[in-house]
Amino acid sequence: MSEIDEATDPAALIEAYYDAGWTDGLPVVPPSDASIAAMLAAAGLEGHEELGAITGRNAVVVAEKAAINAVMAGCRPEYMPVVVAAVKSLCAPAFAYHGPASSTGGSAMALVVNGPIARRLGINSGNNAFGQGHRPNATIGRAVRLIMMNVMNTRPGLLDRATLGNPGKYSFCFAEHEEDHPWEPLHVSRGLRREDSAVTLIASNSLYQVYNHLAAAPEPLLSCFADALGNVGTPNLLGFNETLIVFAGEHAEVLQKAGWRRRDVQRFLIEHTRRSVADYKRGARLPGEVAPADETTWRYRFERPEDILIAFAGGRAGSWSACLPGWGTKWTRSVTTRIDVPSAVSQGGNA
Amino acid sequence: MKLFDPTSKPVERAIKLAPRPASPRGLRLGLVENTKFNASPILEKLAERLARRHQMTVTVRNRKRSASHEVDADGIKALRAQADLVISGIGD
């Protein structure tokens, strides 16, 4: 263990973690030998085991350090397999950690949890799925950010150069609502089995909600998403984009009643999420004067159906859904990782 | 009670530095372009000046997959073999 000092007063101990520069700005739960050991045991890990590495930074994530940060974040031990899977996603070559973690864009690392573990841990997928009030949502995402700061050296002002950042950088974790899902869940659409548990990581520049109270058919409803995703101020005009769309409540019902499937939504959005070169020139997103042909020359935001991730979450009432635009497929790609739970833990039902 | 250090230091790697050139004159120049908006114009302007002042010649142009990615192994190999000096720029 990395014992470096002693203290006796819990409040003083919390302050000591602040003084060392190890927190995200909120107080942390001071770890103990027992809490770290419990965290490792719940994931079936030894402290020295390597979970992944960020090669460009020579940063290696070992299980003990991940466990310490998970305790500090307030995780219960049974959350640790989700944290581990999220760390593996961060370290996946396809995710290309350096850009989304360090860019001025200030991405939140949004985590979507699927499968039996989401229900067992009580990860909120319903009302206020993106909001406060649920321990696993709050602490799993927080643990991932603390690991980024403390283990992957991604500290604000140093290797985290976010211009503004966003509140999701503290924590952003929710579960997909699978019980009355109109289609296959997100993780199944990405090649896993329905009975698997999984976490999908996407670097999201922002979160914005899309409102439509009148649409009774998919086309007008989805045109609002196309408009939101195609705004002139978004990056990556050349079309290499990825996004997560989260349908909630009444919007999910509109799609379900119309019999639209995932591919139908993706194809509609590929076709309709576009802006003219003239729009981009008027907004000084492209240089030069507007030529007549620019009015009918289109730039499309998305290249492939699979670049539009779709999940269902949130309350049943309300005409709100959300877009979480990603950071661009040229720079990074979302990653889905299966969550491995040791059989002794999963059978013990300690969640 | 104890404090548990949650941080990790980067893993140390032994890196052998190339010998420093005695003079800038006539060096072979490698350019690493990271695909950002103005990276290439900045690098090319620099190369022009270096050619004018020190008679350097661009022998390798490497375009990374993105600013988020490292130079790949083939790119490193080419830079090592064909350049005495490498410039990498961020652009924007």
Side-chain angles (χ1 to χ4, degrees), chain A residues 10-11 17 36 43 50 63 70 97 108 127 140 155 163 185 200 208 220-221 223 227 238 273 278 316 334 336:
Chain A
Y17 280 85
I36 295 165
E50 187 177 318
Y97 178 88
N127 288 92
I140 290 169
R155 294 180 175 281
T163 304
T200 297
Y208 45 89
L221 172 65
S223 70
D227 189 57
L238 294 176
T273 309
R316 303 301 171 85
S334 60
T336 298

Side-chain angles (χ1 to χ4, degrees), chain A residues 2 5-7 13 17 22 31 33 55-56 58 65 69 96 99 150 330-331, chain B residues 1-8 10-11 13 35-36 65-70:
Chain A
S2 312
D5 200 354
E6 288 191 359
L13 198 51
Y17 280 85
W22 292 339
D33 287 310
T55 52
N58 295 342
K65 296 294 184 179
N69 282 283
N150 287 327
K330 190 176 84 171
W331 316 87
Chain B
M1 298 175 80
K2 303 173 186 174
L3 277 186
F4 290 87
D5 184 351
T7 67
S8 295
V11 177
R13 285 195 309 178
T35 77
K36 287 216 162 202
R65 185 174 151 197
S66 82
S68 189
H69 292 81
E70 299 172 62

Side-chain angles (χ1 to χ4, degrees), chain B residues 53-69:
Chain B
R53 287 189 192 174
H54 302 296
Q55 292 73 53
M56 291 188 192
T57 312
V58 177
T59 49
V60 194
R61 284 183 171 80
N62 179 282
R63 183 174 163 85
K64 295 207 301 178
R65 185 174 151 197
S66 82
S68 189
H69 292 81

Side-chain angles (χ1 to χ4, degrees), chain A residues 84-113:
Chain A
V84 169
V87 167
K88 288 179 177 175
S89 292
L90 285 173
C91 295
F95 188 69
Y97 178 88
H98 177 66
S102 298
S103 168
T104 51
S107 301
M109 301 303 168
L111 306 173
V112 189
V113 184

Side-chain angles (χ1 to χ4, degrees), chain B residues 3-75:
Chain B
L3 277 186
F4 290 87
D5 184 351
T7 67
S8 295
K9 292 193 168 44
V11 177
E12 290 184 15
R13 285 195 309 178
I15 297 173
K16 191 180 169 191
L17 293 175
R20 306 292 92 175
S23 157
R25 189 172 181 82
L27 292 181
R28 300 172 304 163
L29 192 57
L31 303 179
V32 176
E33 195 250 299
N34 64 5
T35 77
K36 287 216 162 202
F37 194 61
N38 281 317
S40 184
I42 289 171
L43 289 171
E44 294 298 336
K45 285 282 180 198
L46 268 172
E48 277 176 34
R49 288 194 183 187
L50 290 168
R52 226 172 24 244
R53 287 189 192 174
H54 302 296
Q55 292 73 53
M56 291 188 192
T57 312
V58 177
T59 49
V60 194
R61 284 183 171 80
N62 179 282
R63 183 174 163 85
K64 295 207 301 178
R65 185 174 151 197
S66 82
S68 189
H69 292 81
E70 299 172 62
V71 179
D72 63 23
D74 286 345

Side-chain angles (χ1 to χ4, degrees), chain A residues 265-336:
Chain A
V265 174
Q266 290 167 327
R267 286 192 185 114
F268 183 94
L269 290 173
I270 287 175
E271 187 181 342
H272 291 85
T273 309
R274 64 180 192 174
R275 297 299 289 246
S276 68
V277 168
D279 284 343
Y280 286 132
K281 284 187 172 178
R282 278 191 283 267
R285 293 299 315 283
L286 287 174
E289 296 294 317
V290 177
D294 293 339
E295 301 288 356
T296 51
T297 304
W298 300 99
R299 290 275 182 96
Y300 290 82
R301 303 287 301 171
F302 300 104
E303 295 172 315
R304 295 165 297 187
E306 56 268 30
D307 293 336
I308 301 173
L309 283 65
I310 302 171
F312 289 81
R316 303 301 171 85
S319 301
W320 300 93
S321 291
C323 300
L324 288 79
W327 204 68
T329 55
K330 190 176 84 171
W331 316 87
T332 178
R333 296 199 62 88
S334 60
V335 174
T336 298

Side-chain angles (χ1 to χ4, degrees), chain B residues 73-92:
Chain B
D74 286 345
I76 295 283
K77 198 173 166 185
L79 290 164
R80 287 183 68 175
Q82 299 167 38
D84 304 306
L85 176 70
V86 177
I87 303 176
S88 176
I90 190 166
D92 267 3

